[in-house]
Amino acid sequence: MSIWDSYESRITVSGRSKRESALRRELHMLSTKLPDSLSYHYVEIDNTPQEVAIVNSDNLNEKSIYSTSSNVIKGGSLVKWMNNFWLVTECDANAEIYTKAKMLQCNYLLKWIDTDGKIHEQWCIIEDGTKYLTGEYEDRNFVVTRGDSRISMTIAKNEDTVKFDRESRFLIDDPESQIKLSYLLTKPLKVGWVYNTEGVYSFVLQEVVSTDEDNHELGIANYYKYFPKDTSSTHPDGDESIIDPGNNIDEDGRQVWL
């Protein structure tokens, strides 16, 4: 290294311009001062430990989360903090110095089964969509009354949720409810909160009638369509009996009963 190269490296150690110098000072200040702040927390973002700053808002279920530029937070990320799960719904595109994002507290663990028979579960946000409605619908003759509840669901975009369409149906209710309400995805709009292929979906669902294929105990719609129930055969006398495990058939071709 020549003497001029050594001289240039020394005078540019703090930056080649006033802007670059200011940027380096700000990043250095954040890295040294932020860990001493009361807003500094250890969290898990998509199962990866990370150090961030979390700032409260007027809404208790809404927080602002900050991270340095080396740890960019992505839209649709799931944050585990304070024994709760939080969904990152919005991100500031300007992440030169730090990343700022808004996260909402998740309130429901959605479970569903895909067309391949694989069960999925994912934390999401369920909100009321019928604040000014009675939640019931009657026909013109007032003969039939059925549920008419609508909800909105905010969930992260990924390879599983991108498959949701108008045929998607879910059981959404209190996990301790014996009979859960069934909802059909009636507004599968997948644009609006997705930027550069990352973000969240905001769907509208309407209450529909449950079917015999729904597993209310597990909270999974269409469960028995892929995992049929174990039904015992009925004895000719009307009593439920167990068929011989050997599946024996007599000489006349009739089933042998125990």
Side-chain angles (χ1 to χ4, degrees):
M1 179 182 293
S2 66
I3 186 172
W4 291 110
D5 292 335
S6 178
Y7 172 75
E8 183 179 5
S9 64
R10 288 187 177 185
I11 64 174
T12 59
V13 67
S14 60
R16 294 180 177 273
S17 63
K18 291 183 178 181
R19 187 184 187 281
E20 186 176 352
S21 297
L23 177 61
R24 292 188 179 184
R25 286 196 303 269
E26 187 68 18
L27 292 174
H28 177 72
M29 188 273 293
L30 286 176
S31 62
T32 56
K33 300 293 185 181
L34 189 60
D36 297 328
S37 172
L38 294 178
S39 301
Y40 195 71
H41 297 277
Y42 293 91
V43 302
E44 287 186 14
I45 301 180
D46 294 333
N47 298 321
T48 301
Q50 193 164 319
E51 302 169 3
V52 298
I54 297 177
V55 180
N56 295 335
S57 69
D58 293 336
N59 299 323
L60 301 182
N61 64 331
E62 178 183 326
K63 310 290 182 183
S64 295
I65 181 171
Y66 298 82
S67 178
T68 59
S69 59
S70 59
N71 298 318
V72 177
I73 302 173
K74 300 178 180 179
S77 296
L78 191 64
V79 181
K80 185 179 181 181
W81 173 65
M82 291 292 180
N83 297 322
N84 284 274
F85 288 94
W86 307 73
L87 181 62
V88 177
T89 57
E90 299 178 43
C91 290
D92 190 347
N94 186 1
E96 184 178 14
I97 300 177
Y98 57 83
T99 300
K100 178 183 179 181
K102 183 176 78 173
M103 64 181 189
L104 299 178
Q105 187 174 8
C106 298
N107 58 4
Y108 193 75
L109 181 61
L110 186 70
K111 300 178 181 179
W112 74 94
I113 187 169
D114 60 18
T115 55
D116 296 328
K118 184 178 180 181
I119 297 177
H120 303 272
E121 61 179 25
Q122 186 170 323
W123 283 98
C124 64
I125 302 167
I126 301 296
E127 296 177 299
D128 183 23
T130 58
K131 294 182 179 179
Y132 304 104
L133 299 178
T134 61
E136 292 183 347
Y137 172 80
E138 296 177 340
D139 62 5
R140 294 183 178 180
N141 297 320
F142 297 97
V143 175
V144 177
T145 300
R146 62 176 176 82
D148 187 28
S149 174
R150 285 193 294 270
I151 61 174
S152 64
M153 176 175 66
T154 305
I155 192 168
K157 176 196 174 181
N158 53 42
E159 59 182 3
D160 298 320
T161 58
V162 74
K163 300 177 182 178
F164 290 171
D165 54 25
R166 293 186 185 274
E167 301 297 325
S168 301
R169 197 166 56 85
F170 309 95
L171 296 182
I172 301 176
D173 209 330
D174 192 300
E176 297 181 1
S177 298
Q178 294 183 353
I179 303 298
K180 297 177 174 60
L181 297 180
S182 176
Y183 289 91
L184 179 68
L185 201 164
T186 56
K187 190 177 180 180
L189 182 63
K190 297 178 182 178
V191 296
W193 295 102
V194 177
Y195 304 93
N196 296 327
T197 71
E198 296 173 348
V200 298
Y201 292 140
S202 184
F203 295 135
V204 175
L205 298 88
Q206 185 171 7
E207 182 182 358
V208 293
V209 179
S210 298
T211 68
D212 294 336
E213 295 177 342
D214 297 340
N215 188 327
H216 291 270
E217 183 178 358
L218 297 179
I220 303 176
N222 300 327
Y223 178 85
Y224 293 117
K225 179 179 179 180
Y226 302 92
F227 302 97
K229 297 180 180 179
D230 294 331
T231 56
S232 57
S233 300
T234 304
H235 192 278
D237 295 336
D239 298 330
E240 290 187 355
S241 304
I242 301 176
I243 298 178
D244 182 6
N247 233 1
N248 294 329
I249 303 297
D250 62 9
E251 57 183 2
D252 296 328
R254 293 174 298 183
Q255 175 67 52
V256 177
W257 299 86
L258 295 180

